Amino acid sequence: MSRIPYLTGCAFSAIMLAGCSTGYGATSVQSAAEAPVAPSETVAEIGTLFADYDEAVLAASPLSKAYRGIRDEDYARWGDYSDEGDRLQYEMLQNTAARMRSQYDLSALSPDDALSYRLFDALAERRKSLWPFRNHGYIFNQMNGSQSGLPAFLINIHRVSDTGQAQDYVSRIEGLGDVLDTLTAESRERADRGIMPPDWVYPYVINDIENLLNAGDDNAILKDFDSKLGPITPELPEGTEAEASQIIGLMGMAREAWNGSAKPAFERLLAEMKRQQAIAPTEDGVWRLPQGEAYYKALLADYTTTDLTADEIHNIGLREVERIHGEMRAIMGKVGFEGSLQDFFQFTRNDDQFFYTTREEYLADANAVLRKMEARLPEYFGRLPKAPMVIKPVEAFREKSAGKAFYQSPAPDGSRPGTYYVNLYNLRDMSKNELEALAYHEGSPGHHLQRALQTEMGDLPPFRRFGGVTAYTEGWGLYSEELPKEMGFYTDPYSDFGRLGMELWRACRLVVDTGIHHKRWSREKAIQYLTDNTPNPDGDIRKAIERYIVYPGQATAYTIGKLKIMELREKARTELGEKFDIRGFHDTVLESGPVPLSILEENVDSWIAAQS
């Protein structure tokens, strides 16, 4: 399957391996990546190479255009989801990297261009390491499966500001038939080779599909389409019957496209998911897949941008868990709780005082927390984003299967704000204690601050402006949970306990992710580890373990990245003493956009040297 080339943070690698696609046409890919250079041709500046690569990506990737707010003649298309499209995407990246290496002398480039060279080279190498395992992902799963991802794209990304874009929406509903059939066939082929998720994944996927099918013409896609027609529907004084007729006609076209194309394809997908469910494996780790050990090793290297082994990552997790438990016991003393740490976990996990009773209360408090944070940001950051951010609940059709919280970057043209999605399906999974830390991670100073700034860096090559390195992006998100403690937030000790709980959560991820995929732990053993060692509710624990199973390796990036950022900050404090400026440090980390951890260290070392 062809994939979205420019996504930030955790989204990129997940889609890279899961099979969510935007499509690449053969002509544009080959023209950009394989055109020969005449011997006498003058080599342009390296930025031109990156710009040409990006132009080819966009020319063949309708979804990438839409994510960036580009609405042109491709706005009605999904793109090529075939295996050939996937191969062309990969070859375009590798051929462009080869041209770069042959045409440009790294030592002769400016510092900024040299960094872009190294980052593009590293991106190509990471993708090359994963290419042998390109068909190891689960196309349909509860986290980022296409059964919910494609409808979510229409609902959240496809804007309708005129009747032409409404017709484009209808065309995309019609096109869902071919896309789903292509993905269903690929999933069937993978399953026949033993590459399929564990049996417990299928009820989630089937539920997503049935939510759409059972709703009939009131399904989430058609309801979204109708709601988007509202703003473009003219006021209807006398003499506007033609406009009214056009709107009514669009509604009818959308229903015809759904019932004639999309719905039958979803029904075929449902039948295939039920077929696979009957033969699905019960083992959870990717060790059971062909070349499973090598696959997991490649994933860890890609997500962490280090050469840490699974056993080393596992042991780092165990050490961090022990350290955080000690800090939690100090809070137990502060609030006067008598009993063991596990008793305190049970108390915070189950007592009604720690949970909301309405979604509105949760959203109101999250917005209030972020407003207070935004007022303080100039004290700690020299550069702040222009784009606003909104908080939205996960849509009803996918909230049962979706993750706890996630962030979507703003559109570069300002047409879409940054969006913090919070899953309020079960309020007992969303502790009040964690609200602050979760808001800081997904909002500011976390993902929104970092990723909106990245999107607004118009002088960066597009692959840097719209790309991601998980250890950097998620490491920053986790760092952004602790930074507010130093800023004077978390005044409620239970909220500070929630912060530690989320840090503990990421440390435990190192243990359970490697446990499942390297040490061959069962889902039940991993669930029990989190139950024994974290304060999180049972539903939260189960959903998390299920995420790590279908999303192998990604969860290890958070703590590895955060530890590196903390290490570099303390190094800067120690070496600079009174010259240390927290605003300067943060700007140094952020101004390059996402980079591998080794390059982040180089950037900070250079900043330290410049301040000395």
Side-chain angles (χ1 to χ4, degrees):
M1 310 312 95
S2 302
R3 282 92 180 186
I4 298 171
Y6 299 140
L7 288 176
T8 56
C10 59
F12 182 91
S13 293
I15 293 178
M16 161 71 190
L17 293 169
C20 184
S21 167
T22 59
Y24 291 84
T27 301
S28 58
V29 171
Q30 291 169 341
S31 64
E34 299 176 9
V37 180
S40 60
E41 183 178 345
T42 300
V43 176
E45 292 187 5
I46 194 169
T48 302
L49 179 77
F50 298 139
D52 289 346
Y53 171 75
D54 185 63
E55 184 179 352
V57 167
L58 291 178
S61 180
L63 269 65
S64 290
K65 286 185 177 180
Y67 272 105
R68 295 201 207 169
I70 301 170
R71 292 170 286 279
D72 59 12
E73 67 278 0
D74 289 330
Y75 204 47
R77 299 176 52 244
W78 288 101
D80 182 0
Y81 280 71
S82 70
D83 188 62
E84 179 63 17
D86 188 29
R87 180 175 295 279
L88 287 170
Q89 172 190 355
Y90 174 74
E91 290 176 352
M92 176 172 65
L93 174 61
Q94 298 304 327
N95 290 335
T96 303
R99 290 188 68 180
M100 179 187 72
R101 296 175 191 125
S102 67
Q103 292 182 2
Y104 300 94
D105 179 357
L106 179 60
S107 64
L109 296 173
S110 69
D112 286 344
D113 285 345
L115 178 57
S116 293
Y117 179 113
R118 295 177 63 201
L119 291 173
F120 196 81
D121 185 66
L123 171 64
E125 288 302 309
R126 289 200 303 276
R127 296 289 78 82
K128 181 184 288 187
S129 73
L130 291 169
W131 180 248
F133 313 107
R134 64 191 182 279
N135 294 322
H136 276 49
Y138 308 137
I139 297 172
F140 301 104
N141 65 76
Q142 83 282 6
M143 281 298 301
N144 48 47
S146 295
Q147 83 287 345
S148 60
L150 295 171
F153 169 86
L154 285 172
I155 293 168
N156 294 308
I157 305 301
H158 189 113
R159 293 182 62 226
V160 173
S161 54
D162 55 42
T163 55
Q165 291 171 3
Q167 291 168 342
D168 292 336
Y169 196 125
V170 172
S171 295
R172 277 187 162 145
I173 296 175
E174 176 79 23
L176 275 173
D178 286 342
V179 171
L180 285 169
D181 283 344
T182 298
L183 294 174
T184 301
E186 175 64 20
S187 176
R188 183 184 304 113
E189 182 179 323
R190 292 186 191 186
D192 291 345
R193 289 186 282 111
I195 298 175
M196 54 198 305
D199 55 359
W200 54 264
V201 171
Y202 287 90
Y204 288 116
V205 175
I206 289 169
N207 181 75
D208 286 346
I209 300 168
E210 290 182 338
N211 280 345
L212 290 168
L213 292 175
N214 293 343
D217 284 357
D218 288 326
N219 67 74
I221 293 175
L222 291 178
K223 287 176 68 175
D224 176 68
F225 180 74
D226 288 353
S227 72
K228 286 175 178 174
L229 288 180
I232 68 168
T233 302
E235 296 296 327
L236 298 177
E238 293 182 5
T240 60
E241 290 83 358
E243 289 88 345
S245 177
Q246 184 178 25
I247 295 298
I248 293 170
L250 285 167
M251 292 177 177
M253 290 166 61
R255 281 152 181 74
E256 183 178 349
W258 169 261
N259 288 296
S261 178
K263 178 183 175 182
F266 271 112
E267 290 171 340
R268 290 188 288 272
L269 171 60
L270 179 63
E272 174 59 20
M273 292 298 98
K274 289 183 176 180
R275 182 192 77 85
Q276 290 185 24
Q277 183 180 24
I279 59 173
T282 57
E283 299 90 353
D284 296 299
V286 295
W287 54 264
R288 64 178 165 78
L289 302 181
Q291 296 183 294
E293 183 178 349
Y295 173 46
Y296 189 56
K297 181 179 179 180
L299 287 172
L300 291 180
D302 179 54
Y303 282 123
T304 70
T305 69
T306 72
D307 58 2
L308 291 168
T309 67
D311 286 326
E312 288 171 331
I313 291 172
H314 190 87
N315 290 332
I316 291 171
L318 293 173
R319 291 196 300 270
E320 284 292 293
V321 168
E322 184 177 2
R323 175 186 64 80
I324 298 167
H325 279 175
E327 294 187 34
M328 288 179 148
R329 290 188 179 96
I331 291 182
M332 284 174 54
K334 184 180 294 187
V335 300
F337 184 87
E338 295 182 1
S340 68
L341 182 60
Q342 282 67 33
D343 292 335
F344 195 49
F345 288 168
Q346 283 292 337
F347 171 60
T348 58
R349 186 181 288 151
N350 296 308
D351 196 281
D352 289 345
Q353 68 177 298
F354 300 120
F355 299 94
Y356 290 90
T357 56
T358 70
R359 297 183 175 204
E360 291 73 21
E361 289 178 301
Y362 187 101
L363 293 170
D365 282 359
N367 275 298
V369 160
L370 287 171
R371 283 197 299 270
K372 291 178 182 178
M373 170 56 72
E374 287 169 7
R376 298 284 310 284
L377 291 175
E379 301 173 35
Y380 288 81
F381 297 88
R383 299 184 64 175
L384 293 171
K386 299 183 180 74
M389 191 199 78
V390 297
I391 306 177
K392 291 176 62 175
V394 174
E395 302 88 357
F397 83 93
R398 59 170 178 160
E399 64 181 357
K400 185 175 180 180
S401 63
K404 183 172 183 172
F406 46 95
Y407 174 81
Q408 179 179 282
S409 297
D413 65 354
S415 62
R416 184 183 69 247
T419 306
Y420 163 24
Y421 288 93
V422 60
N423 194 337
L424 302 178
Y425 175 73
N426 183 358
L427 289 172
R428 299 295 291 196
D429 291 343
M430 302 298 289
S431 171
K432 288 182 180 180
N433 297 340
E434 292 184 348
L435 181 143
E436 262 196 274
L438 192 60
Y440 300 145
H441 180 108
E442 301 294 347
S444 290
H447 286 327
H448 177 64
L449 189 153
Q450 182 263 307
R451 288 168 58 176
L453 270 180
Q454 178 189 352
T455 301
E456 292 167 8
M457 292 178 183
D459 54 339
L460 291 184
F463 82 92
R464 292 176 59 186
R465 190 179 174 200
F466 302 108
V469 177
T470 309
Y472 171 98
T473 303
E474 296 300 348
W476 177 262
L478 184 50
Y479 170 77
S480 297
E481 295 174 21
E482 182 165 333
L483 177 63
K485 174 73 172 175
E486 302 171 20
M487 298 171 67
F489 291 90
Y490 300 113
T491 54
D492 180 346
Y494 282 111
S495 189
D496 197 25
F497 178 78
R499 172 188 69 82
L500 286 171
M502 288 185 62
E503 185 179 17
L504 176 65
W505 192 242
R506 278 44 166 268
C508 286
R509 284 176 174 178
L510 302 186
V511 179
V512 296
D513 195 286
T514 53
I516 293 164
H517 298 294
H518 175 64
K519 296 180 179 294
R520 304 193 177 192
W521 287 12
S522 66
R523 179 173 59 142
E524 290 70 29
K525 182 173 180 177
I527 289 172
Q528 191 61 51
Y529 181 86
L530 290 188
T531 302
D532 293 342
N533 288 283
T534 76
N536 292 65
D538 293 342
D540 203 7
I541 287 171
R542 184 169 296 275
K543 181 167 284 191
I545 294 300
E546 292 173 348
R547 164 190 167 178
Y548 310 150
I549 290 171
V550 301
Y551 209 168
Q554 187 269 347
T556 66
Y558 296 65
T559 294
I560 298 301
K562 188 245 187 174
L563 290 175
K564 175 56 71 172
I565 295 172
M566 293 294 291
E567 172 196 321
L568 295 174
R569 192 182 72 171
E570 293 314 302
K571 178 181 181 181
R573 281 190 194 277
T574 300
E575 295 192 15
L576 293 176
E578 293 182 356
K579 293 183 179 180
F580 177 78
D581 174 22
I582 190 66
R583 285 160 48 102
F585 173 78
H586 288 153
D587 290 351
T588 298
V589 171
L590 295 169
E591 67 187 4
S592 66
V595 295
L597 298 183
S598 59
I599 293 179
L600 177 62
E601 184 166 7
E602 293 177 16
N603 291 346
V604 173
D605 284 346
S606 295
W607 176 74
I608 293 172
Q611 310 308 304
S612 301

